[in-house]
Amino acid sequence: MRVVVVGAGMAASRLAELLPDVTLLGDELHAPYNRILLSAVLEGSHHPQTLGMRVPDHVDLRLGVRVVEIHRQDQEVELADGSRVPYDRLVLATGSISTLPPIRGLVRVDGQLHDKVHAFRTLADCQRLEAALTTEPARVVVVGGGLLGLQVARALSIRGLQTEIVEGGEHLLRSQVGASAAAILARDLARLGTTVYTGARAVRLSDHGLTLDNGHLLETDLVVLAAGGRPSTALARRAGLDVRRGVVVDHQLRTSDERIHAIGDCAQYGRQVTGFVPPAWEQATLLARHLGGEDIAYDGARTVARLRATDLDVAVLGDPERTEGRVVEISNPITSSYRQLVVREGVIVGATLVGDLSGVGLITQYYDRRTVLGPREPGDLLMANRAASPVVLSDDAEVCACAGVTAGRIRSCASLAQVRETTRATTGCGGCASLIDQLLVASTLEGTPQ
């Protein structure tokens, strides 16, 4: 079976690892890499070479090629140079594209971004921004207060730049957390030297700076766009596939053409379009099994969002702001921590953790298993002190949401290098790294002769 994948991002590379014969068609010049860690490259804690994803030798990887058409009758895709690639099964893993906010002066007459403006979605974007920083700009405005915006702003602050965030919503991370958690984050950012403007939109860019809709002018040397993205669906639309917000797929991740599948950020199942690595990798794994002849049934993704930025720790399980249930929360502005559980019929159906993620492993375990808790347990869980009550995770508890790796698989490894090589844990968002370190240390101590 000739499987051709349009896209060479994180979902595509994960799928390629699991299939015996596959062709990846990537329009970027770089081999597959971990996009989540781009802010770490900007921060200086990671080298670009450490971002590379594993691509097996049997994969036909073609970089710098753009697919312009899908010829469904002929079962071929056409490239920009006019050549065609035949397929038996086609997988769309086209990801998402940056959303340009409606700011006058953002785009020049020739259609290019203003020299001050930088997108931040690809490794090439990161490298261009790095080059701009070598001219020693002093002030940067980040447009967008979501997960990406906070990661970029934190990285720039660490590099010593005067950084400001403009967020049109009423608070930071408005898609993931509520006002109380956002207030903790805003205070943390202020303490770290980052100024936040919420409830205000950038409307005009000029030589003087960025003007907000309240008339305030932010003098700046650079503007970084981190206002989100949308599924890349143009190719699917031209092919006549069913497209709404994303490319519509069924429980076998098939589009309206049964020979074409879609996974990752570009795919839509039901009303759900995800923008995170864990569901993309879950879809890739299930699709590989399906293409291998197994009977699988995809029923939607469990959302786990993690913010990866120095001194900014956030984990969100599910959709706590829009999920019905009783809310149990603890806030401590002095220690910059906020914890919230949404509980329905004794089961955790959503959670928000800001600042202190020491209990995220156990909370995730209860959330995944839909464990019924006693009346006092949610409060006790939020009050638990990691040092006094070390978390004990069962072998089948998931500790890496990105790669779907359990505590048992981690305990079977002798080192962090072996964990990364054999399970891919920590190679996604990296948010599980501290918990995996604890498991490895505990496993080593248990195996030490007395």
Side-chain angles (χ1 to χ4, degrees), residues 317-320 323-325 341-344 347-351 367 370:
L317 307 182
D319 189 3
T323 299
E324 293 185 0
L341 299 180
V342 181
V343 181
R344 185 168 63 236
V347 175
I348 298 173
V349 292
Y367 172 71
R370 299 187 62 80

Side-chain angles (χ1 to χ4, degrees), residues 130-374:
E130 281 272 11
L133 295 178
T134 61
T135 61
E136 298 186 3
R139 302 159 301 183
V140 182
V141 174
V142 177
V143 178
L147 290 165
L148 178 61
L150 266 60
Q151 288 175 332
V152 173
R154 187 68 195 110
L156 293 171
S157 296
I158 287 176
R159 295 183 65 138
L161 288 99
Q162 178 183 322
T163 307
E164 298 170 304
I165 299 175
V166 176
E167 166 57 43
E170 292 305 312
H171 60 75
L172 297 171
L173 294 186
R174 57 184 171 135
S175 297
Q176 282 81 35
V177 306
S180 298
I184 295 285
L185 284 170
R187 281 194 290 269
D188 260 6
L189 286 163
R191 181 172 54 83
L192 299 170
T194 301
T195 304
V196 178
Y197 301 91
T198 57
R201 298 181 182 276
V203 294
R204 186 164 64 90
L205 176 65
S206 66
D207 293 337
H208 301 293
L210 195 64
T211 302
L212 306 184
D213 57 1
N214 58 13
H216 187 62
L217 176 68
L218 302 179
E219 296 182 359
T220 184
D221 300 306
L222 292 176
V223 174
V224 181
L225 302 180
R230 56 185 175 83
S232 178
T233 60
L235 184 64
R237 286 185 187 277
R238 288 199 301 271
L241 300 176
D242 186 7
V243 175
R244 295 170 199 169
R245 287 178 57 208
V247 184
V248 177
V249 297
D250 65 8
H251 65 283
Q252 292 183 321
L253 298 166
R254 295 176 302 190
T255 67
S256 50
D257 183 329
E258 63 180 14
R259 294 166 298 187
I260 302 177
H261 302 261
I263 60 173
D265 292 359
C266 71
Q268 176 178 343
Y269 178 82
R271 296 183 177 181
Q272 187 181 55
V273 176
T274 68
F276 302 107
V277 172
W281 279 4
E282 178 189 5
Q283 291 170 356
T285 301
L286 288 173
L287 180 55
R289 290 170 51 193
H290 172 65
L291 295 177
E294 288 189 45
D295 184 18
I296 62 101
Y298 178 70
D299 60 358
R302 172 179 58 87
T303 302
V304 179
R306 294 291 293 265
L307 172 62
R308 190 198 182 284
T310 301
D311 297 324
L312 291 174
D313 293 317
V314 179
V316 181
L317 307 182
D319 189 3
E321 293 306 301
R322 284 163 283 274
T323 299
E324 293 185 0
R326 290 192 169 186
V327 176
V328 183
E329 59 185 344
I330 295 175
S331 178
N332 188 341
I334 296 176
T335 60
S336 296
S337 66
Y338 173 86
R339 295 179 169 196
Q340 178 199 71
L341 299 180
V342 181
V343 181
R344 185 168 63 236
E345 297 179 357
V347 175
I348 298 173
V349 292
T352 302
L353 303 175
V354 175
D356 183 0
L357 304 188
S358 60
V360 68
L362 190 57
I363 290 172
T364 301
Q365 176 175 314
Y366 289 158
Y367 172 71
D368 285 341
R369 294 180 171 185
R370 299 187 62 80
T371 302
V372 178
L373 305 178

Side-chain angles (χ1 to χ4, degrees), residues 23 36 43 48 62 68 71 76 79 111 123 138 144 168 203 259 280 282 319 364 398 426 433 436 443 446 450:
T23 297
I36 297 175
E43 177 184 296
R62 307 185 194 182
V68 295
H71 299 281
E76 295 177 335
L79 308 184
L123 182 54
V203 294
R259 294 166 298 187
E282 178 189 5
D319 189 3
T364 301
E398 184 179 84
T426 76
I436 286 176
S443 179
E446 289 174 2
Q450 300 299 313

Side-chain angles (χ1 to χ4, degrees), residues 67-102:
V67 178
V68 295
E69 296 291 345
I70 302 172
H71 299 281
R72 293 166 54 187
Q73 292 295 327
D74 300 328
Q75 290 186 231
E76 295 177 335
V77 293
E78 181 180 344
L79 308 184
D81 63 4
S83 63
R84 295 192 179 193
V85 180
Y87 66 83
D88 294 314
R89 293 292 182 94
L90 180 67
V91 181
L92 301 180
T94 51
S96 58
I97 57 179
S98 296
T99 299
L100 288 181

